Amino acid sequence: EWGIRLEESYFRTIADAGFDSVRIPVRWSAHAADRSPYAIDPEFFDRVDWAVEQSLRRGLTVVLNIHHFDELYADPSGQRERFLALWSQIAAHYRGAPPSLLFEVLNEPHDQLTHEQWNPLLADAVRVIRESNPTRVLVVGPAGWNAYTELEELRLPPDDGHLIATFHYYLPFQFTHQGASWVQRDSEGWLGTRWEGTAAEKAEVSEHFRAAAAWARKNDVPLYLGEFGAYEKADMASRVAWTRFVREEALRLGMSVAYWEFAAGFGVYDRETGQWRRELLESLLPVTATP
């Protein structure tokens, strides 16, 4: 639906540019039975295997997640068994993969999947994954769309030294999502919103990131900025300035980062021309391997 089909050349292009990881969002729920044992389509597993292998063979760390599980967001209790069954299958399937494959338990829990519902479900999912992957690194984030403000409500599964916490960052939202058709607000009215890197604008980002970093230190867990980006309808100069500062602040505070995303509406790569959007690329990788 996004108009993109992965190509082998994309993985080579990403690695050649100097990136060291890819996050692969997967809508497993669209390719699995809706009745027990909730079997995942083997042909779909083959497709995901191909994407994982394309990444690993080029030295890219992979963050593989469950993405857009809309039924779970709407009905956590009713979909609990299916969610855990999906992870049981995924974890068993990749039990022999190298440590450079990480599992992200769920992208952006929200809607009816509140903290009260999500924290115990997360603990159950981690237990299921640990049955076949006792030491694989797992990426876990809070309900409330993985917002940094929700980290305080995240309950990390205890006695597990192989966790990374994640949050997503798209603030100011009227800047990063101006003109985005899926936003249930007047996003067209936000067109023309700029981010110029003023002292006040930078201070706001720094304050948010310091709060997230403080939470991570208190909980003795690494922190991963798993998504950040500004939509294509923002002016390029603002996108570049915002992206550069967000990346710099995250790295300064010891976080790892992943830009959202490669080649769709927020994309740093232009599929039509087969070229990187150079200014945006250099805001993410100041020294790139490609000419």
Side-chain angles (χ1 to χ4, degrees):
E1 291 180 355
W2 291 10
I4 294 177
R5 186 170 184 86
L6 296 181
E7 299 178 6
E8 181 176 351
S9 63
Y10 294 166
F11 299 91
R12 181 173 60 252
T13 296
I14 289 167
D16 286 349
F19 291 100
D20 58 12
S21 70
V22 291
R23 180 170 175 259
I24 303 178
V26 182
R27 194 169 190 166
W28 297 95
S29 58
H31 303 273
D34 58 8
R35 295 184 181 181
S36 182
Y38 309 105
I40 296 171
D41 182 353
E43 291 187 4
F44 188 67
F45 251 133
D46 289 344
R47 183 179 176 190
V48 178
D49 287 348
W50 174 85
V52 170
E53 176 58 26
Q54 292 299 320
S55 307
L56 295 178
R57 67 186 285 193
R58 291 173 173 84
L60 296 166
T61 294
V62 175
V63 178
L64 184 69
N65 77 4
I66 288 183
H67 210 89
H68 285 332
F69 194 163
D70 293 338
E71 305 94 325
L72 178 65
Y73 305 143
D75 182 14
S77 298
Q79 291 291 319
R80 175 185 180 278
E81 182 181 348
R82 189 170 185 239
F83 176 64
L84 297 177
L86 292 181
W87 265 123
S88 180
Q89 295 172 74
I90 297 164
H93 185 84
Y94 292 111
R95 67 192 307 166
S100 51
L101 173 64
L102 284 60
F103 294 155
E104 181 180 356
V105 181
L106 182 66
N107 177 70
E108 296 185 345
H110 63 278
D111 196 8
Q112 300 305 307
L113 190 52
T114 62
H115 295 294
E116 291 75 17
Q117 295 266 6
W118 172 233
N119 283 324
L121 182 56
L122 170 61
D124 289 343
V126 170
R127 282 194 291 271
V128 166
I129 294 168
R130 289 293 177 235
E131 292 174 2
S132 55
N133 292 258
T135 61
R136 189 170 304 281
V137 174
L138 306 183
V139 177
V140 299
W145 299 91
N146 286 165
Y148 86 93
T149 52
E150 306 300 317
L151 286 168
E152 288 289 348
E153 302 298 326
L154 176 63
R155 300 294 174 259
L156 296 171
D159 304 318
D160 192 319
H162 303 281
L163 301 176
I164 294 175
T166 189
F167 74 103
H168 296 172
Y169 194 77
Y170 292 104
L171 299 176
F173 197 72
Q174 291 187 359
F175 164 67
T176 65
H177 282 68
Q178 58 186 284
S181 60
W182 65 92
V183 174
Q184 300 300 309
R185 309 178 197 178
D186 182 24
S187 62
E188 292 294 321
W190 303 341
L191 290 172
T193 304
R194 298 180 58 84
W195 196 90
E196 298 178 341
T198 65
E201 288 172 331
K202 289 182 175 180
E204 182 177 55
V205 175
S206 298
E207 178 184 353
H208 297 166
F209 280 22
R210 280 195 299 268
W215 176 89
R217 289 193 301 271
K218 181 177 71 175
N219 288 274
D220 192 27
V221 63
L223 193 58
Y224 174 51
L225 175 54
E227 289 186 18
F228 69 105
Y231 191 51
E232 63 186 359
K233 292 192 178 181
D235 69 280
M236 182 58 78
S238 293
R239 292 177 71 192
V240 168
W242 182 88
T243 300
R244 178 181 291 112
F245 187 72
V246 169
R247 177 191 63 84
E248 289 174 348
E249 281 295 277
L251 296 181
R252 183 179 68 82
L253 291 167
M255 306 173 195
S256 53
V257 302
Y259 179 77
W260 183 269
E261 33 61 26
F262 175 61
F266 293 75
V268 66
Y269 183 80
D270 186 333
R271 289 175 294 122
E272 291 186 4
T273 65
Q275 300 291 324
W276 292 104
R277 295 183 169 98
R278 179 59 51 181
E279 294 173 281
L280 204 50
L281 177 65
E282 292 179 353
S283 73
L284 294 165
L285 295 174
V287 179
T288 61
T290 53

